[in-house]
Amino acid sequence: MTSSKSLVLAARIQRWPIAGSFTISRGAKTEAVTVVAEVRLGGHTGRGECLPYPRYSETPEATLAALQAMQGPLSRGLDRQALQAAMPAGAARNALDCALLDLEAKTSGQRVWNLLGRPAPAACTTAYTISLGTSEAMAAATAKAAHRPLLKIKLGGDGDRMRIAAVRKAAPESELIVDANEAWTPQNLEQNLAECAGAGVTLVEQPLPAGQDDALARIRRPVAVCADESVHDRKSLDGLRDRYDAVNIKLDKTGGLTEALAMADAAQALGFEIMVGCMVGTSLAMAPAMLLARQARFVDLDGPLLLARDRDGGLRYDGSLVYPPEAALWG
């Protein structure tokens, strides 16, 4: 990359209203609070967006402070490769990693995938998320989205058997994946997986709490099970092979696209299927993750579809098709 000695870093918190509310087993929210990092060199600016996640003890304020603390190292020549060791994996490093990648692309006049030696991203089908609610409310929301080919259904423990049945009835043709967000127990795990299998669900995300998922290794899994909260970066892959069939790679967990791409390669080598996922953010957060889509069996980059409005120049969505970013947005 061009010398970073004169790099100038700016970061800020932004708030984006959600269309209605977004509800999972851990609670509901009505806005996405993101943190944006910008790195400037000469006349070029690179941007990256992250969504600090309370589940991982992250807050927007702490993330902002962590980013601001990197101005000194950047001015002393810290580059993207050194960044991987200088900051822990998480939301703050993701924003800065993606901003540096965007800057590399803009200063070189190339698209970021060419710089990284990766295939150019193509339009792909993203999942569309149905928030957790009563079985009746979820069936109504699903019916409105039943034209979409891939739906992601948030589940939450008690009553999930009725939710699964109601959703499948409302969307008989859609492929379904479900996300329990750690809300199931060893006592209801097998019954819930059986209900999912009976409804033709393709994938179940994180049914048990991270660190308390040993039961997955002791049962026959009639549906593929995907690690989300149990997996963050490459270091967490080896311990999952007997419990999970797939891993959900999110840039806010890996700490950026640099680690996410390496993790995808490592996961494939270990035989995991790949899901590329997201937090609820704008197109600026989704754009880097598009580089993972060619390796993914499941793409879940619907964050902007869940917002009341996206940022200007965002990704193009045509129904459930999402298209690669224009250079002005990112990369």
Side-chain angles (χ1 to χ4, degrees):
M1 180 181 168
T2 304
S3 172
S4 60
K5 291 181 179 178
S6 57
L7 278 177
V8 176
L9 170 66
R12 62 187 184 276
I13 295 172
Q14 295 184 331
R15 298 177 182 273
W16 300 89
I18 291 172
S21 66
F22 182 76
T23 305
I24 66 173
S25 62
R26 284 188 287 271
K29 61 182 182 179
T30 57
E31 67 176 1
V33 184
T34 69
V35 180
V36 173
E38 293 184 346
V39 285
R40 294 192 293 275
L41 182 65
H44 300 286
T45 300
R47 301 186 300 167
E49 177 184 298
C50 68
L51 189 95
Y53 201 40
R55 171 64 178 82
Y56 307 129
S57 301
E58 295 175 333
T59 66
E61 294 76 18
T63 299
L64 181 66
L67 285 168
Q68 292 169 335
M70 298 308 294
Q71 176 61 77
L74 287 169
S75 66
R76 293 189 292 271
L78 182 82
D79 62 13
R80 180 170 53 86
Q81 286 70 36
L83 174 68
Q84 309 309 308
M87 296 184 80
R93 195 179 80 188
N94 175 33
L96 187 51
D97 180 77
C98 291
L100 289 170
L101 277 166
D102 189 30
L103 184 63
E104 289 180 45
K106 287 180 167 60
T107 55
S108 68
Q110 300 184 61
R111 296 311 305 265
V112 69
W113 44 86
N114 294 324
L115 287 174
L116 295 173
R118 294 279 172 164
C124 57
T125 298
T126 179
Y128 180 81
T129 303
I130 303 297
S131 284
L132 177 65
T134 65
S135 56
E136 295 82 6
M138 292 183 71
T142 300
K144 295 177 182 177
H147 62 284
R148 296 182 180 272
L150 178 61
L151 297 177
K152 177 172 175 173
I153 312 301
K154 291 290 188 178
L155 297 180
D158 291 342
D160 279 350
R161 294 172 59 185
M162 292 182 291
R163 293 184 182 101
I164 294 165
V167 163
R168 172 47 82 197
K169 184 177 180 181
E173 304 299 325
S174 300
E175 182 177 9
L176 298 182
I177 55 180
V178 305
D179 186 1
N181 283 118
E182 305 179 280
W184 293 356
T185 68
Q187 290 71 40
N188 63 29
L189 174 65
E190 289 184 271
Q191 181 62 50
N192 283 342
L193 287 176
E195 294 289 339
C196 287
V201 170
T202 306
L203 186 76
V204 174
E205 275 189 80
Q206 198 67 44
L208 299 176
Q212 303 175 43
D213 50 7
D214 291 350
L216 288 168
R218 299 193 297 268
I219 65 169
R220 185 185 71 84
R221 300 190 292 270
V223 179
V225 178
C226 179
D228 184 358
E229 287 86 352
S230 287
V231 66
H232 289 256
D233 54 16
R234 281 175 288 175
K235 296 190 295 291
S236 56
L237 286 172
D238 281 337
L240 304 180
R241 297 177 68 181
D242 60 340
R243 285 169 279 169
Y244 294 96
D245 309 290
V247 292
N248 189 345
I249 300 177
K250 295 177 179 176
L251 273 59
D252 280 316
K253 293 190 301 177
T254 65
L257 182 61
T258 301
E259 172 64 20
L261 290 169
M263 181 181 172
D265 294 341
Q268 283 189 318
L270 290 171
F272 289 109
E273 285 195 311
I274 292 172
M275 179 178 188
V276 53
C278 66
M279 308 302 185
V280 181
T282 78
S283 285
L284 182 57
M286 307 300 121
M290 287 290 294
L291 273 73
L292 294 162
R294 284 190 180 273
Q295 291 175 269
R297 165 66 178 86
F298 300 95
V299 175
D300 179 24
L301 298 178
D302 65 342
L305 297 178
L306 305 175
L307 298 176
R309 62 179 180 88
D310 194 8
R311 66 175 67 247
D312 293 341
L315 292 174
R316 175 188 166 199
Y317 287 86
D318 182 6
S320 290
L321 275 181
V322 55
Y323 289 81
E326 299 292 335
L329 173 66
W330 185 86

